[in-house]
Amino acid sequence: LDAGLPCAEITFRTAAAEDCIRAIAHAYPQIIPGAGTVLTAEQAERAVRGGARYIVSPGFDVRVVDWCLARQVPVMPGVATPTEILMALDKGISLLKFFPPAALGGVRMLEALAAVFGGVRFVPTGGVTADNLPNYQKLASVFAVGGTWLVSGKSLAAGAIGEVTRPAREAVETMARERAHGGGQ
């Protein structure tokens, strides 16, 4: 929040995810908490019960998508292929996680997909770094990016808040510069 990011995606890679979402939602109502790495509809339900306001999945799981849509919970399924994009569009979803971009061809793959799927916006995560962030942000099809470099677990454990917020603040500034020069959103 101090770095200018109004949302936080808490991944379900840990058993504490639901409790973390609940703690953030309660202590920081100005933050939009979400749940990431949601693999099942049961995890989506737990996340929403904890206060998550959106769900992110690494792939397109129809059960997770249908659970979210039935409850009007924003969902961003992960896609890696044109077939998965078509599946998402069939469900009325056009904001998609692109995962894992580094392994799938990165910027070149997104450019190719955007040429075919003009109304689709992507959030690449997995291999996005401070160094390659500007390359992604230049693409009009990129809505946002995510990456583990934004929060250093080591800095967080040490309580070095300045070091925790520095990478996120730099990313926000990089994205703002790109927008000002006609890049992505």
Side-chain angles (χ1 to χ4, degrees):
L1 188 61
D2 289 346
L5 293 175
C7 61
E9 177 186 330
I10 310 305
T11 65
F12 264 73
R13 294 185 205 177
T14 171
E18 182 181 352
D19 292 335
C20 291
I21 292 166
R22 183 175 288 109
I24 290 170
H26 177 73
Y28 300 97
Q30 65 275 40
I31 291 181
I32 303 166
T37 317
V38 173
L39 305 177
T40 67
E42 184 267 335
Q43 285 178 329
E45 182 177 359
R46 286 179 39 220
V48 170
R49 187 173 54 232
R53 292 176 39 199
Y54 62 93
I55 301 295
V56 181
S57 182
F60 188 95
D61 184 292
V62 71
R63 293 164 300 204
V64 171
V65 168
D66 286 347
W67 186 92
C68 291
L69 293 176
R71 289 154 184 85
Q72 298 181 340
V73 174
V75 61
M76 187 181 349
V79 297
T81 67
T83 300
E84 293 164 329
I85 295 169
L86 288 170
M87 291 168 54
L89 290 173
D90 186 56
K91 296 285 186 178
I93 303 169
S94 60
L95 178 60
L96 305 170
K97 176 176 179 166
F98 181 59
F99 178 78
L104 296 170
V107 169
R108 289 182 57 208
M109 180 66 159
L110 279 174
E111 289 173 328
L113 291 171
V116 177
F117 299 103
V120 173
R121 303 291 301 278
F122 297 98
V123 178
T125 68
V128 179
T129 65
D131 292 333
N132 65 20
L133 170 63
N135 298 330
Y136 285 101
Q137 195 55 34
K138 288 178 185 174
L139 302 177
S141 64
V142 171
F143 179 76
V145 299
T148 56
W149 94 95
L150 289 170
V151 178
S152 162
K154 187 176 179 180
S155 298
L156 192 58
I161 299 303
E163 279 305 303
V164 170
T165 59
R166 184 187 51 75
R169 185 180 317 284
E170 290 172 357
V172 168
E173 290 168 359
T174 296
M175 291 170 34
R177 274 194 308 274
E178 287 303 319
R179 254 188 260 144
H181 292 97
Q185 300 294 316

